[in-house]
Amino acid sequence: MTAGLESKYSVLYQVFCTKALGKQPAVVDRHMDESKVKQLFEAYAADERDGPPSERDDPIETFSAAMIYRGYVDDPRNTDGAWVETEAWHFHYESGEGFLEEEMVTAGSRLQEVSRHVKLFASHASVIQEAAARLNAYF
């Protein structure tokens, strides 16, 4: 629970909606769990296919979700008595070019292509490398 009031997954979904899409989510379950957040993110793939995930025969072809890391991360803010821990998820959409692009541009966000040459904060590079490995992609 974040500040004892909301689950981390509720916060994740709210931040995604407000920061990436520029809109407030209609209703957010304050006690959201892993399975519920996966369903909500899968709904974006369903929107692209004009049908809810429950009515499709091939949901995995358009969307997959997996936690790729949970635990301590190297971070310049770490001290002997306090450190940063994180949970990194890989949400993968197979919907081609322009997925959610219009919504993100309207919100002032953008998709960013990453490579070994892009400077990333703290240990983000290792998380991106894990996501790339899951897709047999070069990083």
Side-chain angles (χ1 to χ4, degrees):
M1 299 292 230
T2 303
L5 301 174
E6 296 180 284
S7 75
K8 58 189 169 189
Y9 301 110
S10 300
V11 174
L12 165 71
Y13 186 66
Q14 289 177 62
V15 169
F16 173 77
C17 289
T18 56
K19 300 283 186 184
L21 303 181
K23 61 183 178 183
Q24 291 293 325
V27 177
V28 177
D29 175 3
R30 296 175 66 149
H31 304 287
M32 190 178 292
D33 62 7
E34 289 181 25
S35 63
K36 180 66 175 174
V37 82
K38 285 180 185 181
Q39 290 172 352
L40 289 168
F41 278 92
E42 185 174 11
Y44 290 103
D47 289 346
E48 289 290 309
R49 300 273 312 264
D50 295 321
S54 60
E55 294 178 6
R56 294 194 319 262
D57 294 330
D58 60 346
I60 299 304
E61 286 184 15
T62 58
F63 173 79
S64 64
M67 182 187 318
I68 56 175
Y69 182 79
R70 179 189 293 170
Y72 170 88
V73 290
D74 287 331
D75 189 286
R77 300 168 290 180
N78 290 346
T79 67
D80 289 342
W83 54 90
V84 175
E85 292 185 3
T86 193
E87 187 171 298
W89 282 78
H90 177 209
F91 295 102
H92 186 77
Y93 297 90
E94 296 260 353
S95 56
E97 297 288 326
F99 177 67
L100 291 178
E101 189 171 352
E102 185 177 314
E103 292 90 342
M104 292 179 77
V105 168
T106 301
S109 301
R110 64 187 169 93
L111 297 175
Q112 173 70 44
E113 185 173 331
V114 293
S115 72
R116 291 188 184 274
H117 307 292
V118 175
K119 187 161 178 80
L120 298 170
F121 182 74
S123 57
H124 291 171
S126 61
V127 172
I128 301 293
Q129 187 173 15
E130 176 63 26
R134 293 177 57 81
L135 298 170
N136 295 320
Y138 174 77
F139 177 75

